[in-house]
Amino acid sequence: MATDKSNIQLITNGILNENPIFRLVLSMCPAVGISTTVMNGIMLGVAVLFVQVFSSVTISIFKNVIHPRIRIPTYTLTIATWVTVIDLLLAAYLPEAYGKMGIFVKLIVAFAIITMRLEMFACKESVQASFWDGIGMGLGFMFGMMAIGFVRELLGMGTLLGYDILGFQPLLFFVLHCAGFFVVGLMMAFFNYVEIIYKKTKQGA
Amino acid sequence: MKNIMLRQIIIILLLCGLPGLTQAADLIADKSFGDDNEIIVTFSQAVDMEAAINPANYTVYEEPDPDIRLSVEAVSVADDLMSASLRFREPLNTSQPHVVAIANLSPDPEVVTTFTVAKPYIGYLLGILVSALLINNFVFTKYLGLCVFFGTSKRKDTAKGMGFTFTIVIVVSAIMSWFFYQFILKPFDLNFLQIVIFIGLVSLTVQAVDTILRKVNPDLFNAFGVYLVLVIANCVIIAVPLILADNEYNFFETFMLSLGAGGGFLLALYLMSSVRERIELANVPPTFKGVPIAFIVAGQFALAFLGFSGMQLF
């Protein structure tokens, strides 16, 4: 079964319509836990992108030989393998960023979003479509993390990517870990608000 | 013939060794942590004032790092010369055992009196339990397991079911992971396989609990079976084995940590579901309905749990 969507549509679908963090409300742990800076968001986003793309492609290649009854354990072990790869790569080449992310790189293995995409998309579609879907989902996760990181870093430290933007620290509260819950909740409410306004204007027109 | 010789050697060794062993134990009757920066030593007999009061005679370090010497600022000796209190410049990390060596104390100037100060072990274990339960609650202060947390905290019944199922699975899988880590991964130098092995063990435990529960107690299975699938999507269940492998915990510590993690998750779920049942009756603005308001509530819980940080019970 081939999907009728083009590659561009598959990518934008992951970023906008089915954004893992704001739309599907999956993989919230890193979105709250380590989204204190934009850089953290980018680093974990790259790791998730890597795991998502490679697991999607792997499962898509072998979809015809995997028995349906053991598909979930197969997905888990595939993801675990690729997580081990990215974990060792980051530890070897970017030890500083790896230290900041701590245990979260290893925890990618338990992210619901990756298993869900394998179950819903990669095990049915062609290798090429799975590849682009994986990229879309990974980018969507990365942009979500960057958006939260943007708000928290700007409001908490007055910096972006480590560069001083505001020249002062508006509210140190946002760097506190528990502020992650508030920022994510308020951003979701904001998106809901935009959606409600959008629907109202559409009805009025 | 051989046996007799062996026995003689052992007896000789014992005779030579015993005085050395007993000397330190004899001289030191009791030792304990006092205030934040204090170690209290009680001697079994009156000691030499000159030697006991000189801070230069004391060498103190945490057992894992013998190279980092802790500087003794002042020593005060009681009037009856039976006890001394060591004051340090900085607060001690009382979760680590401390080794104290005192020179020139015993009549023989060559012998250095050495002993270890540690908190009672059962208190240390309870400390791990309470820490995982409240101070480092996995949901509210480590931000793990949030997907399942928000998914199953709508009703109190669901919350209880999920919490109990999760606690059972995490204790079983953490203990299995500990055995695998200590007796297979470490001896064969297979540490890079940690993630694959641990997630495999978790899936296995979930499957086993599923099968056993289905056969042994169908009623319980009907109540809790649906949550078993969700357990595997919870980050906490894979975080606990990774933490215990990082910290080289022993069997009892592993048990306490996993029990605390499961109990903490149950506690968080129950608190959250109680609030969310009430929120359903409240008049929430349409933009905040559903997940956003749950996040705000969780943020407030996290702020409250922040109050536990730095607490030391035992």
Side-chain angles (χ1 to χ4, degrees):
Chain A
M1 191 177 83
T3 175
D4 48 353
K5 283 180 182 167
S6 73
N7 299 340
I8 306 289
Q9 275 172 327
L10 282 173
I11 294 183
T12 49
N13 176 49
I15 296 173
L16 293 174
N17 298 344
E18 293 189 13
N19 187 295
I21 292 183
F22 293 115
R23 284 307 184 129
L24 305 178
V25 202
L26 288 171
S27 316
M28 298 315 302
C29 319
V32 173
I34 58 158
S35 61
T36 42
T37 61
V38 180
M39 200 57 208
N40 279 355
I42 295 177
M43 290 305 301
L44 197 71
V46 170
V48 170
L49 182 73
F50 176 89
V51 176
Q52 176 76 72
V53 169
F54 277 86
S55 317
S56 284
V57 169
T58 316
I59 291 296
S60 190
I61 290 173
F62 294 108
K63 60 177 178 287
N64 293 328
V65 285
I66 298 172
H67 193 278
R69 270 181 65 191
I70 56 152
R71 65 184 196 289
I72 299 287
T74 321
Y75 298 161
T76 315
L77 287 181
T78 313
I79 297 169
T81 313
W82 287 114
V83 170
T84 310
V85 171
I86 191 75
D87 187 57
L88 294 177
L89 275 177
L90 283 179
Y93 291 106
L94 293 168
E96 208 172 296
Y98 180 76
K100 270 186 198 162
M101 287 189 284
I103 200 170
F104 277 104
V105 179
K106 288 178 180 166
L107 290 184
I108 293 176
V109 75
F111 282 9
I113 175 69
I114 298 175
T115 320
M116 200 201 86
R117 279 333 274 182
L118 298 184
E119 167 79 13
M120 292 186 45
F121 199 94
C123 68
K124 298 174 199 150
E125 307 284 350
S126 68
V127 175
Q128 203 196 3
S130 305
F131 175 75
W132 291 112
D133 180 70
I135 290 205
M137 279 295 147
L139 284 179
F141 177 82
M142 202 202 284
F143 284 142
M145 287 289 289
M146 277 168 69
I148 302 168
F150 178 83
V151 173
R152 288 182 73 177
E153 194 177 353
L154 193 67
L155 292 181
M157 318 231 281
T159 59
L160 279 181
L161 283 172
Y163 295 106
D164 207 336
I165 302 284
L166 295 180
F168 66 100
Q169 297 186 339
L171 243 181
L172 205 58
F173 169 73
F174 283 100
V175 186
L176 280 183
H177 279 301
C178 50
F181 284 114
F182 290 106
V183 173
V184 175
L186 288 175
M187 283 178 87
M188 279 179 177
F190 174 72
F191 287 132
N192 282 353
Y193 179 70
V194 171
E195 200 180 334
I196 289 173
I197 295 285
Y198 178 73
K199 273 183 186 163
K200 265 187 189 163
T201 49
K202 217 176 175 184
Q203 277 171 356
Chain B
M1 193 63 192
K2 222 177 177 184
N3 264 340
I4 296 169
M5 261 182 71
L6 203 69
R7 214 172 285 167
Q8 279 173 340
I9 289 171
I10 290 174
I11 290 170
I12 291 168
L13 276 179
L14 274 179
L15 284 177
C16 301
L18 269 179
L21 280 174
T22 47
Q23 192 155 30
D26 268 352
L27 198 55
I28 307 297
D30 191 22
K31 69 260 179 179
S32 64
F33 289 114
D35 291 343
D36 275 358
N37 58 346
E38 188 186 26
I39 289 180
I40 300 166
V41 186
T42 314
F43 305 110
S44 55
Q45 61 196 63
V47 289
D48 181 18
M49 184 74 177
E50 294 276 307
I53 206 157
N54 184 4
N57 281 338
Y58 293 83
T59 320
V60 185
Y61 52 87
E62 289 180 16
E63 203 168 51
D65 333 277
D67 296 333
I68 306 170
R69 297 284 157 87
L70 305 172
S71 54
V72 181
E73 202 163 49
V75 181
S76 53
V77 181
D79 291 336
D80 58 356
L81 297 176
M82 291 290 276
S83 73
S85 142
L86 285 65
R87 289 268 170 196
F88 295 86
R89 200 158 300 148
E90 277 151 20
L92 300 167
N93 174 15
T94 51
S95 57
Q96 294 284 3
H98 285 58
V99 176
V100 182
I102 313 176
N104 302 329
L105 195 63
S106 58
D108 181 1
E110 290 290 310
V111 174
V112 178
T113 316
T114 310
F115 57 93
T116 313
V117 190
K119 284 198 291 188
Y121 195 63
I122 191 82
Y124 170 66
L125 284 181
L126 283 175
I128 291 182
L129 177 71
V130 174
S131 162
L133 206 62
L134 293 176
I135 304 161
N136 288 318
N137 186 293
F138 275 85
V139 176
F140 289 134
T141 55
K142 286 195 174 155
Y143 316 101
L144 297 175
L146 293 180
C147 313
V148 179
F149 174 68
F150 284 110
T152 57
S153 61
K154 285 195 188 102
R155 289 259 163 279
K156 271 187 204 160
D157 297 337
T158 333
K160 276 186 271 186
M162 182 69 210
F164 281 120
T165 318
F166 180 74
T167 310
I168 294 167
V169 175
I170 200 166
V171 170
V172 175
S173 72
I175 287 171
M176 279 183 12
S177 307
W178 180 80
F179 273 107
F180 260 75
Y181 176 70
Q182 290 293 333
F183 298 115
I184 296 177
L185 293 188
K186 246 169 61 173
F188 294 101
D189 233 351
L190 292 172
N191 262 337
F192 64 95
L193 281 180
Q194 266 182 16
I195 304 172
V196 180
I197 295 282
F198 290 161
I199 197 82
L201 280 174
V202 170
S203 323
L204 211 72
T205 317
V206 169
Q207 199 62 50
V209 172
D210 187 288
T211 315
I212 294 170
L213 214 59
R214 198 191 294 262
K215 292 276 190 290
V216 173
N217 196 335
D219 290 337
L220 209 63
F221 179 78
N222 285 337
F224 292 154
V226 276
Y227 308 118
L228 277 172
V229 192
L230 283 174
V231 167
I232 192 130
N234 194 335
C235 324
V236 181
I237 204 141
I238 184 77
V240 166
L242 289 172
I243 289 173
L244 67 91
D246 266 358
N247 292 348
E248 298 282 340
Y249 276 168
N250 68 22
F251 180 78
F252 298 105
E253 292 163 344
T254 302
F255 180 73
M256 284 297 178
L257 180 76
S258 53
L259 198 66
F265 194 71
L266 173 65
L267 178 78
L269 269 179
Y270 191 74
L271 286 174
M272 189 70 184
S273 61
S274 311
V275 173
R276 279 180 85 172
E277 277 191 355
R278 298 217 165 189
I279 282 180
E280 269 184 19
L281 304 173
N283 185 14
V284 179
T287 42
F288 276 96
K289 271 225 163 75
V291 185
I293 191 74
F295 265 90
I296 306 284
V297 171
Q300 285 165 338
F301 271 123
L303 269 181
F305 270 74
L306 207 62
F308 286 121
S309 63
M311 195 170 71
Q312 247 183 6
L313 279 183
F314 299 100

